[in-house]
Amino acid sequence: MMAFVIAVMGVMSMMQVEQAKLSLANEEAELSKLKDEEKILKGLVEQLKERKEQIEKAEEKERVQKDKEEKDKKEAEEKAQKEKSDSGNEAKQENKEAENTKSEDKSTDSSDDDKIRVTEDSLSDQDMADGYDDPAAKAEHSGTFDNVRTPSNEVDKHTAETVEQSVSPKSEDNSAVLSEMGHDVGNELYADEVTKVGTDASESTKELSKEELGRLVASRWTGENTEKQGEDGVRDNDHETHEEMPEDTHDEEEDNYASDDDDFEKYEDNRKYDDTGKYDDNGIEDDMDIEDDNYKEEDHDGTSTSYKSDIDDGLDSSETTTSSNPSWLEKIQQTVRNILQAVNLFQTPVDKSEAGHVRKEYEESSAKLSKIQSRISSLTKKLNHDFGPEKEFYSFYGQCFETKENKYVYKICPYKQASQEEGHSATRLGSWDKFEESYRIMLFSNGEKCWNGPDRSLKVKLRCGLNNEVADIDEPSRCEYMALLSTPALCLEQRLQELQQKLESMNKEQPQYHDEL
Amino acid sequence: WKKEEFRNCHQTPFCKRARSRNPGDCSLFADQVSISDGDLTAKLFSKNKTHEDPVNPLILSLSVYQDGIMRLKIDEDPTSNPPKTRFQVPDVVLPDFLSKKLHLQRLKTETIDGDAGLSSIVYLTDDYEAVLRHDPLEVYVRFKGSNSRVLSLNSNGLFDFEQLRVKNEDEDWEERFRSHTDTRPYGPQSISFDVSFYDSDFVYGIPEHATSFALRPTRGPNVEESEPYRLFNLDVFEYIHDSPFGLYGSIPFMISHGKSGKTSGFFWLNAAEMQIDVMGDGWNAESGISLPSKQKRIDTLWMSEAGIVDTFFFVGPSPKEVVRQYTSVTGLPSMPQLFATAYHQCRWNYRDEEDVEQVDAKFDEHDIPYDVLWLDIEHTDGKRYFTWDKVLFPHPEEMQKKLAAKGRHMVTIVDPHIKRDESFWLHKEATQKGHYVKDASGKDYDGWCWPGSSSYPDMVNPEIRTWWGDKFSYDNYVGSTPSLYIWNDMNEPSVFNGPEVTMPRDALHLGDFEHRELHNVYGYYFHMATADGLVKRENGRDRPFVLSRAFFAGSQRYGAVWTGDNSADWDQLRVSVPMILTLGLTGISFSGADVGGFFGNPDTELLVRWYQLGAYYPFFRAHAHHDTKRREPWLFGERNTELIREAIHVRYMLLPYFYTLFREANTTGIPVVRPLWMEFPSDEATFKNDEAFMVGNAIFVQGIYTERAKHSSVYLPGKEYWYDMRTGTAVKGGITHKLEVSEESIPAFQRAGTIIPRKDRFRRSSTQMVNDPYTLVVALNSSQAAEGELYVDDGKSFDFLQGSSIHRRFVFSKGQLTSVNMAPTSSGKSQFSSDCIIERIILLGYVGGSKSVSIEPVNQKAEIEFGPLRLKGGKGPSVVTIRKPGVRISEDWTVKIL
């Protein structure tokens, strides 16, 4: 019975393999065809563009001509009026001069600021965590902090203090204006302040309540932020803030967070902020934003399911393309030829309807081109993937496997990424990396960083099974996940190896110590 | 390590005061010297009447015990009505010891060295005398009738005793450190004095510190000024590898050793915070004080925050005798079960039953024996000890039974902090019964630990210890089975939000004694209560196993300790050796360091080296922090699995030898793992060596402490040869060898003149090896002789105390090997017997060409042939082997080479 099942599975997997190879061949053919079409279309678009630009030039010329005529007319009118208002002009001139001096001042000012900032940087490098370098920025954004930092008041207080202290020397700097002397004093003052801030910060445990102190110390051993509640709160808020804030402020905000002193670095999960930043970036890179819930929701009966991922990678967009109807390209070619012949460039004024025609045709063609190009790039990307020696993993592309384990839902999308979701929050366990151990393991790496630990990663062990099904998600070492994926794709090889192992173990079972005495 | 979180001496007023005293500052003299109740007693008065010195006289008493032990006590005079009784540590000195007191009858007085006053002299042993010099006050031990000293107290006049008194109105007794305020309601009460060790080149002992074995001077003209060695039980996060800073346990016992080959020891029974300075040569050159003796000596300064002077002087004169004397006061190491001496597998945390099952199965799959699987805090229901997480461990009994079926055991963690949760039965009971330590205001002390808000049972109270012990009954500890044993962690006690991560000093214990007076003994009591509980659980039939992190003098009676939360780096591998040697020297024979290092990820080479060294630790356990990668032995590729397997096999092979050594420690106090100079007391080259050690008297081991080592400098002590444990090759003693090092092993040698019993077959666990035959490895010395012992019992019960055991002495000389009975005739009902035979006798260094032996009394013959040094591996070196002598270990026999 067992042998039969395995044989069936073997056949199934072979069928799949054949299918995969067929699809791959089709896609490869499509790709090369698309590349040809792209070449032709590119040429057409170039021509249309050229023509369009010529038309535009002509139109521009026409316009300039018109303008000039109108201007001449106007100037004639103004000349008549000018003689009446000579005196007013002088006053205007003076004003302009004054403005010039002012801007010169400004430039000196700002260059000084730069110098100071350099010193600050070196100070902060020595004495403090990175990112302590821009107190001004900190002051500006302290408002944002309050939004982000939620539960632990003490920490907030601490931050606020740091901000205050680091702001004050800065303003002193400014008031000490520009002499060389003033400069030195300013810097020294700043250095003092920095030390002081450092000390204050290191002693700021004093301000913690006994309970918080307990948590703080505990968190060293556990590597966890013991205040779970708070962590979640912070995280949520953080996401919101991200959405509201423009990119650059966001960066500065990160810097500010990194500036806490050692004690707090451990306590208050600073790196989290970096993480989130990173994760957002990655999300963009991978075309995958977990928050946006890219997965198509389906009815999941079992705990483990698989489905096509609804990722907008251009692969499934049947709408475009092109391949089905070969005549479209010829059509366009024809149209373009007609247009190019029809339009008389030197006709003035430009024939409005002809120009519109060219524009429309240009726009349509280039849209088509970019669609083809995106299809090419996604196909290339797909075909560059390693689908295994027999292309047996071809069908994994664009699929996701999902399983529920306790409160978490795990989503594994081969060639894309894997995540762990709890309610609305998702943790990225890793991005697709590669196969390992001769296609017995799928590795997802560079997931979200663990506090005090490694970047998360997931290894998916593959084993032969009737259906694609994830089971046994596990975290044997902290933040290193392990899952088991049953798949028909593996059945043939697996069976062979099992037999081999059996043979070997039979050989091994010879008595070992029979008479070494 | 967070330096600023802990007080240094300068921030500790009593330490700062004591350190600033000058030689000769003490103005006390003894008066009313007499013999009373078999003791020498006196009153101490001060010549100065400044308020610095005691206003009321102090009471001194000096008693003498068998085997060269002198006890000196100094306390306030109860008749002068001090405001409070000072704390004296109970339950550490054995009742047995007190019965060894020699009742003094006569007092001899002398004028020594032209003193103005007298000295009183009493008998100590036939060779030693105890001397009390009246003025200035000094107490010392000397060789009888000579001026040659062994140990002395207050020879430098640094003695100081802050008497309890009523607070003056203008005084502020509070002490603040960081965010914490110590109310110090009883004010200053510290004690300090100097102790001198004569004919001494080095001093050792006073664990626990991660530092060199021979203690370095902390003060002196050519010494880099350092903190004193601190004794204050602390939970130190990521401790560093070379620091006099106090760690998890404290044993105020110091041993001195010198070129003369003589050893002496000094023990101060005091559980308050202690700081100890070792003075460098010439530290007091400017004081003008010169001791009458010309002997080379080492001066030390002892400072304690509270308590009394209760000190013990041990005269030695050999290293083993000092240890024997010390353990006759504080107790002998308990005899562990056989399984506990084998390999332990631990991790924070094996997460659920499936994980446990898989790890267990993998050991079998990879042919690696192990005996115990450990569960850390996450196995509980929300860090409520004595409970199980119902999701992760729904069937704890079944899980333990599965392990037990393979002869394996399980250990779960039970810490002293109890979650303050009204619905937790243990907390409810402890609250209702008033069993918790109180804060300064008298309320149940509430500190923060793993479960969050927690309270701590007052283990100083014997009733509460009994109550605690009952919690280990199978009824109370639901889900426990007879194969489950216990791990006590965090018992310093660790309090995350307390001063220096521990309990405030003004917290209150039984009898309104303050925590400051007994801090260092809290963990000891907790360990004691747990071990007693396990004994009670099986009605005294089963030997307990309890591992503790905190310890005090006497902890050896209750189980094993380990060196706490070390880190995965080479320096910490290196420092594990002096730490374990120090523990052994101070009575705690059963100790080890976390193999692999607790914090961080060891690289593979370090892990392998750690297993190779750890296989020789008395307590051999791998452990890892939950942030680290998995590191079970099979996770590093086939080659490394093989190397680790081999290291663990070495331990299993040597288990009969180790078990015999544990029994030796259990009867004599002499530790399983010993400094070289304990076996070679006059070999000066060994005095500072703390990278090598002896396992028993027969095996020399030296770790490899560097990456990619090609060579290792190994000094082999003594005049005789040493035999490489892997190859059987003979190497000369008394010189430093530059040995080639391979990845396969660390240098390990068997000493010529010794016999080691082994079991060379490997099974799943030690308990499955019980019926396996033995191999004897006879390493012959230059006169073709050797000796060794074998101790065997049921490995589990207390029947051995009634003589139910096999104890043989093997003697090889004049071409014959004899097995002699060493066991006393059994007085108990059950007689232990074993059918085990000896399957091979290996002769290393044998010269002679005989081909056969005859065996008496059965009058059989057996052959001498070449055979492998070890059964496993096949291709090993060939050595002279007596094959299948077939003699029983339980019987007398002689094997004669024909």
Side-chain angles (χ1 to χ4, degrees):
Chain A
M1 180 60 191
M2 195 58 210
F4 171 72
V5 169
I6 288 167
V8 167
M9 282 153 80
V11 170
M12 279 177 49
S13 104
M14 275 169 75
M15 280 164 62
Q16 274 199 347
V17 163
E18 288 314 305
Q19 221 169 354
K21 280 181 177 163
L22 214 69
S23 308
L24 263 175
N26 285 342
E27 279 171 352
E28 267 158 20
E30 187 195 337
L31 183 60
S32 81
K33 196 174 156 218
L34 281 171
K35 278 183 176 164
D36 290 344
E37 289 172 359
E38 183 202 13
K39 217 169 157 187
I40 297 168
L41 194 56
K42 229 181 186 168
L44 293 177
V45 169
E46 276 304 307
Q47 283 177 307
L48 280 169
K49 193 179 173 195
E50 210 175 291
R51 177 56 53 97
K52 192 182 77 144
E53 279 167 6
Q54 283 169 345
I55 290 172
E56 277 163 3
K57 236 184 196 164
E59 284 175 342
E60 175 71 8
K61 218 172 162 185
E62 239 176 75
R63 195 178 59 79
V64 169
Q65 187 63 35
K66 235 183 207 162
D67 279 4
K68 209 188 166 208
E69 283 166 12
E70 273 177 33
K71 206 180 169 191
D72 286 348
K73 210 164 137 194
K74 219 178 183 178
E75 268 174 16
E77 283 170 19
E78 274 177 11
K79 217 172 189 177
Q81 281 199 333
K82 197 190 171 190
E83 283 150 15
K84 291 180 189 171
S85 58
D86 249 0
S87 52
N89 261 342
E90 274 172 12
K92 245 182 207 166
Q93 195 74 18
E94 264 168 34
N95 248 342
K96 213 173 188 183
E97 265 170 31
E99 240 164 50
N100 276 343
T101 350
K102 208 172 164 189
S103 80
E104 255 169 49
D105 271 353
K106 229 183 208 162
S107 74
T108 341
D109 218 333
S110 73
S111 77
D112 267 320
D113 270 355
D114 280 342
K115 271 186 214 159
I116 291 164
R117 193 155 299 154
V118 169
T119 336
E120 286 167 8
D121 276 345
S122 65
L123 273 171
S124 70
D125 279 348
Q126 281 168 14
D127 297 331
M128 319 206 76
D130 294 350
Y132 195 54
D133 48 358
D134 204 343
K138 185 174 288 184
E140 276 166 31
H141 296 292
S142 56
T144 336
F145 279 166
D146 293 339
N147 286 338
V148 177
R149 300 237 170 187
T150 321
S152 60
N153 297 327
E154 291 300 326
V155 177
D156 273 346
K157 199 164 146 198
H158 160 68
T159 319
E161 272 174 26
T162 326
V163 170
E164 261 173 46
Q165 296 201 12
S166 46
V167 170
S168 60
K170 176 83 184 180
S171 57
E172 224 157 315
D173 251 1
N174 286 342
S175 63
V177 208
L178 300 174
S179 79
E180 203 56 29
M181 269 288 276
H183 236 151
D184 285 342
V185 171
N187 280 341
E188 266 170 39
L189 261 171
Y190 189 76
D192 281 345
E193 283 300 320
V194 166
T195 342
K196 202 173 144 208
V197 170
T199 329
D200 282 352
S202 80
E203 279 173 5
S204 61
T205 20
K206 277 184 182 169
E207 290 156 26
L208 295 178
S209 74
K210 287 272 165 74
E211 186 176 311
E212 282 160 339
L213 187 61
R215 288 180 210 267
L216 184 153
V217 176
S219 71
R220 283 183 205 149
W221 274 272
T222 56
E224 279 165 13
N225 187 336
T226 41
E227 203 164 5
K228 253 270 145 50
Q229 199 68 31
E231 188 186 345
D232 290 342
V234 171
R235 199 177 268 273
D236 286 344
N237 269 346
D238 191 41
H239 279 295
E240 282 164 26
T241 327
H242 272 229
E243 282 160 20
E244 285 162 17
M245 266 192 302
E247 275 305 314
D248 50 347
T249 24
H250 158 66
D251 282 344
E252 274 163 2
E253 186 221 353
E254 272 180 26
D255 284 347
N256 283 330
Y257 274 106
S259 74
D260 281 339
D261 68 285
D262 286 352
D263 278 344
F264 281 91
E265 189 174 68
K266 286 204 154 157
Y267 176 53
E268 178 66 32
D269 193 350
N270 285 322
R271 280 178 233 169
K272 191 169 59 210
Y273 297 92
D274 290 335
D275 286 350
T276 331
K278 207 196 277 168
Y279 135 63
D280 276 349
D281 288 348
N282 284 344
I284 291 158
E285 253 171 49
D286 294 355
D287 254 346
M288 290 273 289
D289 189 350
I290 302 166
E291 286 303 287
D292 287 346
D293 212 0
N294 266 324
Y295 304 103
K296 199 176 204 168
E297 285 298 330
E298 288 182 2
D299 290 333
H300 308 310
D301 289 332
T303 51
S304 174
T305 48
S306 67
Y307 50 87
K308 282 244 168 215
S309 76
D310 194 22
I311 302 152
D312 183 23
D313 57 4
L315 276 177
D316 301 309
S317 46
S318 53
E319 163 250 330
T320 3
T321 37
T322 57
S323 50
S324 53
N325 184 1
S327 60
W328 67 272
L329 189 60
E330 284 167 26
K331 241 187 206 158
I332 293 184
Q333 276 175 300
Q334 190 57 47
T335 321
V336 171
R337 228 174 285 136
N338 293 343
I339 290 174
L340 293 182
Q341 283 164 5
V343 179
N344 181 359
L345 266 182
F346 307 101
Q347 176 187 332
T348 320
V350 177
D351 180 332
K352 286 259 163 71
S353 84
E354 285 297 338
H357 204 65
V358 169
R359 269 194 205 99
K360 189 174 159 249
E361 202 56 41
Y362 169 75
E363 267 151 29
E364 276 172 12
S365 306
S366 44
K368 204 101 185 173
L369 178 63
S370 72
K371 250 176 192 166
I372 285 182
Q373 280 171 334
S374 95
R375 173 74 179 158
I376 285 173
S377 104
S378 61
L379 260 183
T380 314
K381 206 169 139 199
K382 177 176 180 181
L383 293 176
N384 276 342
H385 278 301
D386 177 0
F387 293 119
E390 295 293 323
K391 313 297 172 207
E392 61 269 49
F393 302 109
Y394 174 80
S395 66
F396 281 10
Y397 195 87
Q399 277 209 80
C400 289
F401 310 111
E402 190 176 287
T403 185
K404 199 162 184 268
E405 190 101 2
N406 299 330
K407 52 185 179 172
Y408 296 114
V409 174
Y410 292 87
K411 282 179 178 166
I412 300 173
C413 305
Y415 302 103
K416 292 283 183 290
Q417 70 151 22
S419 63
Q420 176 199 54
E421 300 179 7
E422 183 190 8
H424 290 294
S425 80
T427 308
R428 211 168 45 82
L429 301 183
S431 310
W432 172 258
D433 191 337
K434 60 184 173 200
F435 283 101
E436 277 186 340
E437 294 185 20
S438 40
Y439 299 95
R440 307 298 292 277
I441 281 178
M442 299 193 295
L443 178 64
F444 295 82
S445 57
N446 281 315
E448 280 182 59
K449 192 169 175 53
C450 268
W451 191 90
N452 209 17
D455 292 346
R456 286 181 176 78
S457 66
L458 168 71
K459 279 185 175 176
V460 183
K461 282 190 184 170
L462 300 171
R463 75 171 176 205
C464 170
L466 271 170
N467 296 309
N468 287 325
E469 200 173 282
V470 191
D472 288 351
I473 288 245
D474 204 11
E475 189 185 354
S477 289
R478 204 161 122 86
C479 302
E480 291 177 14
Y481 296 80
M482 202 71 126
L484 204 60
L485 174 63
S486 307
T487 171
L490 212 74
C491 289
L492 201 59
E493 202 195 349
Q494 175 105 3
R495 174 67 185 150
L496 281 172
Q497 281 186 0
E498 267 170 19
L499 281 173
Q500 204 160 357
Q501 268 173 11
K502 213 169 198 174
L503 268 172
E504 275 169 19
S505 68
M506 276 162 78
N507 289 337
K508 254 189 204 164
E509 273 167 31
Q510 304 285 339
Q512 281 193 340
Y513 318 114
H514 52 282
D515 198 5
E516 289 175 61
L517 298 187
Chain B
W1 189 45
K2 303 234 164 236
K3 192 178 173 185
E4 72 283 354
E5 220 162 74
F6 300 101
R7 295 214 292 189
N8 58 36
C9 178
H10 196 72
Q11 294 164 318
T12 308
F14 83 85
C15 187
K16 192 180 167 186
R17 279 198 303 277
R19 253 191 166 189
S20 67
R21 284 171 67 82
N22 294 311
D25 275 0
C26 172
S27 72
L28 293 177
F29 62 95
D31 201 5
Q32 304 174 23
V33 181
S34 67
I35 298 283
S36 100
D37 196 21
D39 293 337
L40 171 82
T41 58
K43 282 195 173 181
L44 305 180
F45 297 91
S46 173
K47 282 184 235 174
N48 303 346
K49 291 295 173 198
T50 67
H51 90 279
E52 299 265 311
D53 274 348
V55 181
N56 296 316
L58 300 170
I59 298 286
L60 174 149
S61 81
L62 188 158
S63 20
V64 168
Y65 296 81
Q66 285 171 28
D67 304 322
I69 302 167
M70 180 185 96
R71 183 179 193 176
L72 172 72
K73 283 173 98 164
I74 300 173
D75 195 359
E76 312 219 20
D77 183 352
T79 60
S80 64
N81 289 322
K84 186 174 187 280
T85 311
R86 286 172 170 261
F87 184 73
Q88 299 192 39
V89 185
D91 309 307
V92 167
V93 176
L94 292 182
D96 260 10
F97 173 73
L98 298 178
S99 67
K100 291 181 186 159
K101 188 167 122 169
L102 301 176
H103 282 257
L104 298 172
Q105 280 153 7
R106 285 189 303 122
L107 178 78
K108 187 170 70 170
T109 53
E110 261 179 45
T111 309
I112 299 173
D113 280 334
D115 274 358
L118 289 175
S119 290
S120 298
I121 297 122
V122 293
Y123 173 93
L124 180 51
T125 73
D126 288 348
D127 300 324
Y128 300 94
E129 294 169 325
V131 181
L132 168 68
R133 187 192 190 189
H134 297 189
D135 186 15
L137 173 71
E138 191 182 2
V139 179
Y140 58 91
V141 174
R142 67 177 188 187
F143 290 96
K144 193 165 238 173
S146 87
N147 230 343
S148 189
R149 298 173 170 211
V150 181
L151 284 164
S152 69
L153 185 141
N154 201 33
S155 300
N156 289 293
L158 292 173
F159 187 93
D160 187 27
F161 194 113
E162 294 177 325
Q163 243 166 5
L164 290 167
R165 57 191 170 83
V166 180
K167 191 161 118 180
N168 298 329
E169 269 177 27
D170 57 335
E171 273 180 306
D172 177 12
W173 279 349
E174 286 189 356
E175 277 180 16
R176 281 160 212 88
F177 180 66
R178 293 169 70 86
S179 62
H180 303 279
T181 301
D182 173 2
T183 57
R184 286 214 323 157
Y186 304 102
Q189 48 185 304
S190 75
I191 298 169
S192 56
F193 50 78
D194 56 285
V195 175
S196 303
F197 298 85
Y198 297 80
D199 294 329
S200 169
D201 292 310
F202 294 101
V203 288
Y204 311 85
I206 55 170
E208 178 172 48
H209 307 99
T211 187
S212 61
F213 180 50
L215 300 174
R216 286 190 288 258
T218 53
R219 285 167 69 183
N222 300 313
V223 175
E224 201 185 318
E225 188 79 6
S226 116
E227 284 290 300
Y229 290 96
R230 188 181 192 200
L231 292 181
F232 194 60
N233 294 0
L234 289 176
D235 182 5
V236 181
F237 180 74
E238 292 184 346
Y239 66 76
I240 49 178
H241 76 273
D242 190 10
S243 165
F245 197 82
L247 296 179
Y248 312 95
S250 300
I251 302 179
F253 172 42
M254 190 181 272
I255 301 99
S256 126
H257 189 72
K259 286 185 220 21
S260 60
K262 291 203 172 102
T263 312
S264 60
F266 174 81
F267 169 48
W268 185 5
L269 178 56
N270 183 306
E273 176 181 2
M274 203 179 285
Q275 301 262 14
I276 301 165
D277 267 321
V278 176
M279 311 299 211
D281 277 344
W283 69 275
N284 58 351
E286 282 154 31
S287 73
I289 290 189
S290 71
L291 299 194
S293 168
K294 293 281 172 288
Q295 292 164 282
K296 180 170 166 43
R297 65 166 208 280
I298 293 181
D299 294 330
T300 55
L301 173 62
W302 298 60
M303 309 162 257
S304 174
E305 189 187 1
I308 64 163
V309 178
D310 187 1
T311 58
F312 298 77
F313 296 64
F314 307 106
V315 300
S318 78
K320 288 182 181 175
E321 273 165 301
V322 167
V323 172
R324 232 190 290 253
Q325 287 154 359
Y326 169 75
T327 50
S328 76
V329 175
T330 60
L332 292 161
S334 63
M335 185 65 197
Q337 292 202 25
L338 176 63
F339 82 81
T341 68
Y343 174 62
H344 301 251
Q345 183 65 38
C346 186
R347 175 178 179 81
W348 175 19
N349 212 81
Y350 288 119
R351 283 158 306 119
D352 51 24
E353 289 176 3
E354 195 189 343
D355 198 6
V356 166
E357 197 169 319
Q358 279 187 4
V359 170
D360 179 68
K362 286 276 183 186
F363 272 98
D364 295 342
E365 194 179 306
H366 292 277
D367 193 21
I368 301 172
Y370 89 97
D371 268 69
V372 193
L373 201 114
W374 292 55
L375 295 180
D376 209 322
I377 51 176
E378 313 296 336
H379 83 276
T380 59
D381 174 16
K383 279 85 174 180
R384 293 171 189 86
Y385 305 104
F386 303 103
T387 70
W388 302 83
D389 183 309
K390 283 181 192 62
V391 176
L392 302 175
F393 294 91
H395 316 105
E397 281 159 334
E398 203 177 300
M399 170 177 67
Q400 292 158 50
K401 279 174 188 154
K402 275 189 207 158
L403 292 178
K406 296 177 184 175
R408 289 174 179 154
H409 297 78
M410 180 164 260
V411 167
T412 52
I413 196 165
V414 175
D415 291 351
H417 47 260
I418 297 176
K419 186 177 172 76
R420 294 189 59 82
D421 166 5
E422 295 308 325
S423 64
F424 182 28
W425 56 273
L426 190 61
H427 170 64
K428 227 156 71 185
E429 208 178 305
T431 311
Q432 277 163 8
K433 292 178 188 280
H435 281 351
Y436 286 135
V437 175
K438 307 289 184 285
D439 64 21
S441 73
K443 290 199 298 267
D444 285 351
Y445 172 65
D446 180 351
W448 195 272
C449 207
W450 297 129
S453 175
S454 306
S455 287
Y456 298 73
D458 184 11
M459 290 299 167
V460 178
N461 184 333
E463 276 172 40
I464 297 174
R465 290 202 296 276
T466 305
W467 167 80
W468 178 257
D470 287 337
K471 303 299 162 232
F472 293 92
S473 74
Y474 302 116
D475 290 344
N476 283 325
Y477 189 173
V478 176
S480 68
T481 72
S483 66
L484 183 77
Y485 295 88
I486 300 299
W487 172 16
N488 286 163
D489 197 2
M490 316 297 280
N491 50 336
E492 293 75 25
S494 177
V495 183
F496 293 155
N497 61 347
E500 304 191 83
V501 199
T502 192
M503 200 175 266
R505 289 162 199 248
D506 53 9
L508 294 171
H509 294 262
L510 172 72
D512 276 347
F513 285 112
E514 285 189 285
H515 188 68
R516 89 180 70 249
E517 300 174 273
L518 51 85
H519 169 82
N520 284 342
V521 88
Y522 182 85
Y524 165 86
Y525 277 125
F526 185 66
H527 194 190
M528 174 196 288
T530 305
D532 288 349
L534 288 189
V535 173
K536 221 175 342 177
R537 166 180 93 162
E538 284 281 332
N539 298 316
R541 287 190 302 267
D542 188 67
R543 292 176 226 163
F545 173 77
V546 183
L547 178 76
S548 172
R549 191 169 71 182
F551 55 83
F552 189 69
S555 286
Q556 64 268 19
R557 308 207 295 268
Y558 304 107
V561 307
W562 91 107
T563 62
D565 299 347
N566 61 356
S567 305
D569 63 55
W570 291 90
D571 287 335
Q572 297 249 343
L573 172 67
R574 174 77 181 76
V575 82
S576 70
V577 174
M579 290 178 85
I580 288 165
L581 285 175
T582 302
L583 284 167
L585 203 55
T586 54
I588 303 200
S589 186
F590 198 7
S591 72
D594 283 344
V595 170
F598 178 65
F599 291 113
N601 294 306
D603 63 41
T604 308
E605 188 187 356
L606 172 60
L607 184 65
V608 169
R609 290 300 188 203
W610 214 316
Y611 268 102
Q612 289 170 342
L613 184 69
Y616 294 98
Y617 291 162
F619 175 62
F620 181 24
R621 181 186 75 155
H623 185 32
H625 189 274
H626 75 157
D627 278 351
T628 62
K629 286 171 177 290
R630 284 281 177 144
R631 56 167 93 139
E632 285 70 43
W634 48 86
L635 292 173
F636 304 90
E638 219 161 289
R639 176 61 180 154
N640 292 304
T641 306
E642 195 179 315
L643 292 171
I644 294 172
R645 180 194 297 121
E646 167 67 12
I648 296 175
H649 276 177
V650 164
R651 174 57 167 244
Y652 276 81
M653 190 170 73
L654 292 172
L655 280 178
Y657 179 63
F658 267 97
Y659 197 67
T660 303
L661 293 174
F662 274 103
R663 177 59 174 159
E664 184 184 354
N666 174 242
T667 50
T668 65
I670 295 162
V672 171
V673 160
R674 308 164 187 177
L676 301 182
W677 55 260
M678 187 172 264
E679 289 298 326
F680 301 91
S682 22
D683 190 338
E684 245 185 280
T686 64
F687 293 177
K688 273 185 82 171
N689 185 334
D690 59 9
E691 52 184 348
F693 56 90
M694 295 293 295
V695 179
N697 71 343
I699 298 178
F700 169 101
V701 180
Q702 182 165 326
I704 297 296
Y705 309 112
T706 51
E707 248 173 317
R708 290 183 288 281
K710 295 268 183 295
H711 298 277
S712 175
S713 282
V714 175
Y715 176 76
L716 291 166
K719 305 271 182 294
E720 289 282 349
Y721 274 90
W722 296 82
Y723 296 92
D724 188 304
M725 299 265 291
R726 278 178 69 80
T727 63
T729 318
V731 185
K732 228 171 131 58
I735 46 171
T736 302
H737 298 270
K738 192 178 180 193
L739 298 176
E740 282 197 17
V741 169
S742 79
E743 61 175 357
E744 289 174 1
S745 67
I746 56 174
F749 295 88
Q750 183 176 353
R751 182 181 180 179
T754 62
I755 298 174
I756 293 176
R758 294 196 326 213
K759 283 191 175 185
D760 284 14
R761 289 147 197 257
F762 306 111
R763 309 198 182 273
R764 291 162 192 261
S765 61
S766 71
T767 51
Q768 307 284 55
M769 294 164 66
V770 165
N771 298 316
D772 283 351
Y774 287 82
T775 294
L776 294 183
V777 186
V778 182
L780 297 166
N781 63 13
S782 49
S783 36
Q784 293 284 291
E787 290 184 11
E789 290 184 15
L790 172 65
Y791 174 83
V792 189
D793 60 22
D794 66 11
K796 207 169 158 45
S797 77
F798 284 104
D799 292 351
F800 72 100
L801 294 176
Q802 271 72 53
S804 180
S805 61
I806 294 170
H807 190 183
R808 313 298 302 185
R809 179 165 199 79
F810 305 116
V811 181
F812 188 100
S813 80
K814 298 190 178 110
Q816 63 181 46
L817 175 65
T818 313
S819 169
V820 191
N821 186 28
M822 296 273 289
T825 38
S826 171
S827 57
K829 285 161 269 164
S830 60
Q831 182 76 40
F832 178 75
S833 74
S834 165
D835 290 335
C836 287
I837 57 155
I838 289 168
E839 60 175 352
R840 301 192 305 157
I841 298 167
I842 292 169
L843 300 175
L844 297 174
Y846 171 68
V847 286
S850 183
K851 287 270 172 270
S852 61
V853 296
S854 76
I855 297 156
E856 308 289 350
V858 287
N859 201 19
Q860 277 177 342
K861 287 220 156 65
E863 323 230 296
I864 304 183
E865 280 177 27
F866 278 96
L869 183 55
R870 287 192 198 165
L871 280 189
K872 204 165 183 192
K875 266 184 287 174
S878 278
V879 288
V880 179
T881 306
I882 300 171
R883 295 186 65 216
K884 298 185 178 173
V887 289
R888 285 167 183 275
I889 56 152
S890 56
E891 291 170 357
D892 291 344
W893 42 258
T894 301
V895 173
K896 277 186 192 160
I897 296 175
L898 295 174

